Amino acid sequence: MKGNLRDFSTTQILNLVSLAKKTGTLSVERKDMRGSLSFKDGKLIFAAVGEADGSLASILARDGRITKEQAAALAKHAQKTGDKQLGLLLIQKGYVTQSDIIQSIKRHSLAAINQIAGWKEGSFFFDASRMPDDGRITVPLDLESIIIQLARVQKLDEQLEEEIPSLDVCLKFVNQPGVQLKDLQLSKDEWRVIKYIKPDNTIRMIANTLNMSDRQIRRVIGSLREAGLVELVRVVRRQPLTPEERENKRNIVDRLIGRLQAS
């Protein structure tokens, strides 16, 4: 099974894998990134995308359970022993529990599959003979609930595209007497966006500055609008003057200067 995500979405592929209870690895690649999802009997057991390669050290670091420095040292150890042995060592030393490892891997897998599901184009290939290395820790996840959640997110994204069809608009804060921004419980991304809400900054400019995709910035703006904090402001751009209009404007200015000099 191979093709392009323009013709066959990730959600459709996952449906097929789930219904057919397939075993193997789906590799997806686009211009700037690649990812892979491994399945056993129709269940997701392993995921990797970009720098999030699915290794235990990187997963625990991204989940905040160990530092980046610790992850770098543990990654070298895992190259010799594998993630399973590394996990047992960390549990024995009391750094993490088995539940910690399982929950971190689940969060990583869900984040990876959500990221890949957002790709609108890219080549994919399903290899029934390829599976994760034996040393990897695999945690099976039912695809049915994942597919339902992806469908909800996709529907939300479609609604946001209708509500915010253009990113070339500005934002302004809604006047709410008695409401202090510092007292609000906002996400990290929402705070990042709020810092750049200025009269001359369009949503697209903010997205580019923060290296956010169109989908990411729409989600954040949608959340801020739903909370009643911001509203859209259309950007009124002046049309460039024609040569005749520029000449007329120049003549008017020249006449005004002449009058001032004569007075």
Side-chain angles (χ1 to χ4, degrees):
M1 180 172 61
K2 61 180 179 180
N4 195 290
L5 295 178
R6 288 193 303 267
D7 309 312
F8 208 52
S9 71
T10 304
T11 306
Q12 290 174 313
I13 299 171
L14 294 178
N15 263 312
L16 178 58
V17 171
S18 178
L19 291 173
K21 298 189 181 301
K22 284 184 169 292
T23 295
T25 295
L26 174 70
S27 298
V28 185
E29 184 174 353
R30 64 180 192 178
K31 182 173 60 176
D32 59 339
M33 195 174 295
R34 64 179 61 185
S36 62
L37 303 171
S38 297
F39 308 90
K40 184 175 181 181
D41 299 328
K43 295 181 183 292
L44 176 69
I45 61 170
F46 183 81
V49 58
E51 296 180 356
D53 61 2
S55 64
L56 180 59
S58 68
I59 289 174
L60 293 177
R62 286 175 178 270
D63 213 25
R65 299 192 182 277
I66 60 175
T67 66
K68 291 183 178 179
E69 291 74 18
Q70 290 172 328
L74 292 174
K76 294 180 180 179
H77 181 84
Q79 288 177 351
K80 301 176 182 178
T81 64
D83 282 350
K84 290 180 180 178
Q85 290 300 318
L86 174 61
L88 288 174
L89 177 62
L90 292 174
I91 292 172
Q92 291 170 356
K93 295 293 185 180
Y95 290 109
V96 294
T97 65
Q98 182 179 18
S99 177
D100 291 336
I101 291 176
I102 292 174
Q103 293 304 316
S104 292
I105 291 176
K106 283 184 176 180
R107 279 191 284 270
H108 159 78
S109 295
L110 291 173
I113 202 169
N114 272 282
Q115 184 174 351
I116 294 175
W119 297 357
K120 300 301 182 183
E121 61 178 57
S123 60
F124 68 84
F125 174 70
F126 188 88
D127 186 350
S129 64
R130 180 185 164 198
M131 293 295 285
D133 296 336
D134 291 338
R136 296 290 195 185
I137 300 175
T138 57
V139 177
L141 297 173
D142 288 328
L143 282 182
E144 290 85 352
S145 58
I146 294 176
I147 292 170
I148 292 173
Q149 181 61 29
L150 289 176
R152 288 174 180 167
V153 171
Q154 184 177 4
K155 185 176 181 180
L156 174 61
D157 287 337
E158 290 173 353
Q159 290 175 345
L160 287 174
E161 285 187 21
E162 292 179 1
E163 294 173 6
I164 314 174
S166 172
L167 299 183
D168 297 313
V169 296
C170 294
L171 298 164
K172 72 174 184 179
F173 291 107
V174 176
N175 185 24
Q176 293 191 32
V179 176
Q180 298 292 327
L181 281 177
K182 63 180 181 179
D183 298 330
L184 299 176
Q185 298 295 321
L186 301 177
S187 69
K188 180 180 178 180
D189 282 341
E190 288 168 346
W191 280 120
R192 291 171 67 208
V193 169
I194 279 178
K195 291 179 180 179
Y196 287 93
I197 296 179
K198 298 177 182 179
D200 296 330
N201 284 351
T202 65
I203 296 176
R204 191 180 304 281
M205 291 166 62
I206 296 174
N208 290 338
T209 301
L210 298 177
N211 196 28
M212 286 184 170
S213 67
D214 291 358
R215 182 181 62 165
Q216 288 174 317
I217 193 68
R218 277 193 172 94
R219 287 181 181 178
V220 174
I221 300 303
S223 178
L224 293 175
R225 291 182 71 202
E226 186 176 352
L229 296 177
V230 300
E231 61 183 12
L232 304 181
V233 180
R234 292 196 173 276
V235 179
V236 179
R237 300 191 181 279
R238 296 179 180 177
Q239 295 295 328
L241 297 176
T242 64
E244 183 179 355
E245 288 172 333
R246 285 199 296 270
E247 182 64 26
N248 290 336
K249 187 174 182 179
R250 189 179 300 112
N251 291 336
I252 292 173
V253 173
D254 289 341
R255 288 198 297 269
L256 177 60
I257 292 175
R259 289 178 184 176
L260 291 173
Q261 290 175 339
S263 62

